[in-house]
Amino acid sequence: MDHRIAAVALAPVLLLQGLHVRWRTPRLPEPPGPRRGSGGEGKPLRLLIVGDSSAAGVGAHTQGAALSGQLAARLTRHFHLSWRLVARTGDGVRDVLAHIESVPREDFDVAIVAVGVNDVTAVTSARHWRDSLGHLCERLQARFKTRRVLLSPLPPMHAFPALPQPLRWYLGKRAASLNQAMHTVTADNVDWVCVEPEFPLKKEYMAADGFHPGPRAYSLWAEKMAMAIKPYWLEHMPDSAVQPDVT
């Protein structure tokens, strides 16, 4: 059955299940810790991370154990890294668009985008999602002079342990639909790339709410992103960004 047709037939059940999940699921805070920093040695790299609660590190105890901290730890082994995190719990793609417009202009080489779960639950259409996501990538490049935009597809929500059936099935179908739209967006520009986190949705990888990544999942996510950034930037870094040899 098409999930859009099912949504009509199952609307009362989906609504009640959604309210129940919202009521019983613990609300985890965004973890404390720095949201920008610099360090490491080598060629310079400027990194921007934007998005929703997963980008903000919900599910980790500190930013050091979240995506931003674990990714920074990996990249500073190879680069002189300057990074910034711009993310808020509850944001959908249009909220992220508005948020980055309030951030002072600053140049970044690579941007990471992690957004979409709130668009699934808010029933954002695939067309609006696609258009807004494309606009977000354009604005990241125009406002921050970003050369590369790496997008994380939505997780397989059909496997989220916090969700009962049929709500789990329905949200999983919607997440898959938005992921298809994301691949359509990245097909339009060689500098917009989907990078799959690829972590197992087992209890030990999930946060206490059964909805967000835990530190082990953030570690695998950070490793995947580092593997996407390192060879690209070593190959494409402009000559003007090379630090002079003072030895």
Side-chain angles (χ1 to χ4, degrees), residues 135-170:
H135 189 198
L136 174 59
C137 293
E138 290 171 351
R139 290 303 297 152
L140 287 169
Q141 291 188 309
R143 185 171 181 82
F144 302 108
K145 299 183 180 179
T146 305
R147 294 168 59 90
R148 189 80 153 179
V149 180
L150 303 179
L151 301 103
S152 283
L154 281 76
M157 297 182 70
H158 67 275
F160 275 16
L163 300 175
Q165 297 289 14
L167 181 64
R168 183 189 301 184
W169 169 84
Y170 171 67

Side-chain angles (χ1 to χ4, degrees), residues 88-164:
R88 297 181 302 198
T89 296
D91 275 6
V93 65
R94 283 172 283 191
D95 302 308
V96 177
L97 261 169
H99 194 183
I100 66 169
E101 295 296 340
S102 68
V103 175
R105 290 180 184 271
E106 185 178 352
D107 291 354
F108 292 97
D109 303 306
V110 178
I112 291 174
V113 176
V115 68
V117 170
N118 296 305
D119 291 287
V120 169
T121 57
V123 200
T124 302
S125 72
R127 179 175 64 84
H128 283 109
W129 158 259
R130 181 192 65 229
D131 293 345
S132 297
L133 190 62
H135 189 198
L136 174 59
C137 293
E138 290 171 351
R139 290 303 297 152
L140 287 169
Q141 291 188 309
R143 185 171 181 82
F144 302 108
K145 299 183 180 179
T146 305
R147 294 168 59 90
R148 189 80 153 179
V149 180
L150 303 179
L151 301 103
S152 283
L154 281 76
M157 297 182 70
H158 67 275
F160 275 16
L163 300 175

